């Protein structure tokens, strides 16, 4: 939340991030903070063992607090 407040304070319009498709705890955190799916990159994360994993691209639009 602190990061999002800082981004708003710097007049950012949105926040973009990527997360491994199989990282359920991280995805739950981002969805809890209103991030939405914004795309997908197949085989983005290459694992030393096991198959590669897609990256989910997430976006959250930011709105400044009302004055």
């Amino acid at each position: 939340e602190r990061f999002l407040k800082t981004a708003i304070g710097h007049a950012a319009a949105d926040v973009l991030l990527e997360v491994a498709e199989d990282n359920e705890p991280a995805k739950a955190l981002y969805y809890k903070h209103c991030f939405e799916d914004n795309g997908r990159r197949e085989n983005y994360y290459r694992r030393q063992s096991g198959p590669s994993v897609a990256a989910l691209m997430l976006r959250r639009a930011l709105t400044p607090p009302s004055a």
Side-chain angles (χ1 to χ4, degrees):
E1 290 184 37
R2 184 175 178 187
F3 170 77
L4 294 173
K5 289 178 184 178
T6 299
I8 290 169
H10 287 281
D14 54 17
V15 174
L16 303 171
L17 59 85
E18 294 174 347
V19 62
E21 183 177 53
D22 62 353
N23 189 339
E24 296 301 328
K27 288 171 26 184
L29 175 69
Y30 298 136
Y31 290 139
K32 176 182 172 186
H33 288 281
C34 302
F35 281 82
E36 297 178 349
D37 294 332
N38 192 46
R40 177 185 169 101
R41 294 180 183 195
E42 293 294 331
N43 301 314
Y44 187 75
Y45 292 101
R46 303 205 188 280
R47 308 294 169 121
Q48 288 185 2
S49 62
S52 296
V53 178
L56 299 180
M57 296 181 290
L58 303 178
R59 177 182 178 270
R60 175 172 168 181
L62 301 177
T63 55
S66 300

